[in-house]
Amino acid sequence: MQLASDSDSVVRASVALNLNTPPSILTQLASDPDSFVRDMVAYNRNSPITTLMKLSLDPEMKVRLRLVQNPNAPASSLLVLLKDADLEISKKSIEVLRTRYGEIGIQVIKIVNASSAKVLPDVINQLLEAEPLFKRAVKELPDKTWDEIPITGDINKDIDALISAVEKALEPKSLAPISL
C-alpha cells in the first residue's frame, strides 16, 4: 500500500484511520515519526492488540490518550495507562476499565494500585489471555463483586488469584443427585 509511505503525514494518517487498512500496515504506521499518524493508529479499532500495546508506551500524550478512547483497546493496555504520568490518561483508563469490565475492572485497578511495581510484561500477557474470561464473567455474573479476593501487593499473585476466582465462579455448577 503506497499511501502508507506517502511523504505527506496527513495522507499517512488517513491510511492509519481507515478501517480497511491491513493490520500489517497499521503496525508499520505505529512507528511513524509523526505523532499524528500514530494517534490515528491508536484510534483505529482494527489495530492489532500488539500494536496497541506498543502505543500504550508512546512518548506522546495525545497518542496514549487516543488509545484509551479506542473501544477495542485491550485491558492490558489500559492497565499500563492506569499508571501513566499524565493524570487525565490515568483517570480515563480507570473510567474505561470500570465501564467495560465492571467489578472485575475495579478489582484489577485495586490490584495495580496496591503494587509499587509497574505493570510487568508477564502480567500483561496474563491479562491478554484472561480478557475473554473477564468479558464472559461480566456478561454472566454482572452483579458479582470480587472483594473477597485478598490483595497482597504482589501484582503477579493477585492477578493469578483474580483469574482463578473468575474461572471458579464460571465453572458449571453440578446438580445434586436426585434420590428416588
Side-chain angles (χ1 to χ4, degrees):
M1 179 177 264
Q2 288 183 332
L3 293 175
S5 301
D6 196 279
S7 61
D8 186 346
S9 63
V10 174
V11 172
R12 294 191 313 274
S14 296
V15 172
L17 192 56
N18 187 320
L19 296 176
N20 295 315
T21 299
S24 61
I25 301 296
L26 291 169
T27 298
Q28 171 192 331
L29 290 170
S31 297
D32 196 279
D34 191 306
S35 64
F36 180 58
V37 175
R38 297 191 313 274
D39 186 23
M40 295 300 102
V41 173
Y43 191 65
N44 188 321
R45 67 176 186 248
N46 291 332
S47 290
I49 288 175
T50 53
T51 300
L52 295 175
M53 280 302 305
K54 176 184 173 188
L55 290 172
S56 68
L57 302 172
D58 195 277
E60 288 292 326
M61 186 270 294
K62 67 180 182 175
V63 173
R64 298 188 315 274
L65 185 58
R66 186 71 73 177
L67 175 59
V68 174
Q69 297 167 345
N70 184 326
N72 291 334
S76 49
S77 290
L78 296 170
L79 288 174
V80 169
L81 296 172
L82 183 67
K83 292 216 173 201
D84 198 277
D86 185 277
L87 191 57
E88 183 181 1
I89 292 172
S90 182
K91 284 181 177 180
K92 290 216 180 271
S93 296
I94 290 170
E95 231 175 82
V96 172
L97 282 164
R98 282 184 173 159
T99 302
R100 197 182 298 169
Y101 299 99
E103 291 294 327
I104 292 175
I106 292 168
Q107 190 69 14
V108 170
I109 291 166
K110 289 177 185 175
I111 290 168
V112 171
N113 284 338
S115 170
S116 59
K118 288 190 174 221
V119 181
L120 308 170
D122 55 330
V123 172
I124 290 169
N125 288 333
Q126 273 183 295
L127 290 168
L128 277 171
E129 290 175 18
E131 192 152 354
L133 181 73
F134 289 171
K135 286 181 178 179
R136 184 174 151 222
V138 168
K139 284 181 185 172
E140 294 181 22
L141 306 166
D143 299 324
K144 170 86 171 113
T145 61
W146 304 93
D147 292 335
E148 73 275 4
I149 301 164
I151 297 176
T152 66
D154 181 329
I155 195 166
N156 289 321
K157 285 183 182 176
D158 293 345
I159 292 294
D160 278 343
L162 177 60
I163 291 170
S164 294
V166 172
E167 287 172 335
K168 185 174 181 178
L170 289 171
E171 286 176 358
K173 310 287 186 257
S174 57
L175 298 175
I178 299 172
S179 55
L180 298 175

